[in-house]
Every structure is written in C-alpha cells, then in structure tokens.
Amino acid sequence: MCAHARILALEEEIDTEWVYMWDKFGSYLLLLLGLTAKAERVQDEVCLRLFLDNIGFSDLSAKDIKKWLPEDRRRFEIIQESYMREKEMEEEILMQRREKEGRGKERRKALLE
C-alpha cells in the first residue's frame, strides 16, 4: 500500500513537472513564432520596397496599395508582370552570352591542342 502511494505521488510530481516544462516551452515557442512572423513581414516589405524602387514607384507604400481599387491593382499587376518578363529576358540573354563564351573557350582550347 505504501509503495502504491509513493508511485502515485511520483506520477503526480512528474505530471506537475511536465506541465511546468510545457508551459515554459510553449511561451518560448510562441515568442519564436511571433518573431519569425515579424521577420517575414519585414522581409516582404523590403522586397516590395526594392521592387517599387526598381519600377519607379519609390513614393508608394504598402498602406497605399491596400487602399487601391481593383482596377488600380490590376494596372499594377500588369506593370509587375511586364517587369518580371523583362527580368527573365535579361537573364535569358545573360545565360546565352555565358554559353557563347563557354563555346568560345572550348574552341580556343581545341585550337591550342
């Protein structure tokens, strides 16, 4: 009987310790999630700011964009899509140039051999 009482007391202490540990761990986890969300929000704002600066809308803010009407938003999406296509074309041209340079190097090596 005494052994059973001691086992129950130990189980109760373990349960209490688990609750304390999870309580402490949970608060750290929530803090970490909150900091991560804030960091992502700041990163998104920085990316938006860089994009707006690149396309010539440096005076525009995220708050202004939230107030836009659907037609304003669509106009901005068209500008954004054309900007992305232009960047993709620039990247494609750069890749072609690198390929040509690589073929030129190979030809020069072949001629030297």
Side-chain angles (χ1 to χ4, degrees):
M1 191 72 167
C2 185
H4 290 295
R6 183 73 181 135
I7 289 172
L8 288 175
L10 287 173
E11 286 177 348
E12 186 178 330
E13 287 179 28
I14 290 172
D15 290 344
T16 304
E17 191 62 30
W18 272 106
V19 168
Y20 174 73
M21 283 178 26
W22 277 108
D23 182 42
K24 195 171 191 178
F25 174 73
S27 63
Y28 287 128
L29 182 61
L30 288 175
L31 177 64
L32 179 64
L33 289 174
L35 291 174
T36 303
K38 183 176 181 179
E40 287 177 358
R41 192 170 50 251
V42 168
Q43 184 180 10
D44 289 345
E45 289 174 9
V46 168
C47 288
L48 176 63
R49 177 61 39 216
L50 289 172
F51 173 71
L52 292 174
D53 287 345
N54 279 336
I55 63 172
F57 285 91
S58 59
D59 58 338
L60 196 59
S61 70
K63 288 180 182 179
D64 295 337
I65 291 173
K66 287 181 182 177
K67 295 177 186 176
W68 279 358
L69 298 173
E71 56 269 8
D72 296 329
R73 196 170 295 280
R74 182 65 192 141
R75 223 174 308 139
F76 181 74
E77 287 173 359
I78 291 170
I79 292 170
Q80 185 178 15
E81 289 169 5
S82 66
Y83 175 80
M84 296 303 281
R85 276 194 304 264
E86 182 180 317
K87 287 296 178 186
E88 287 173 1
M89 287 174 48
E90 288 175 3
E91 190 174 315
E92 176 101 16
I93 291 169
L94 183 62
M95 292 298 291
Q96 289 174 357
R97 191 176 304 146
R98 286 182 183 163
E99 286 176 10
K100 285 181 184 178
E101 290 173 1
R103 285 192 299 256
K105 284 181 182 179
E106 289 174 9
R107 265 184 280 177
R108 286 191 295 276
K109 283 182 184 179
L111 288 173
L112 289 173
E113 292 175 356

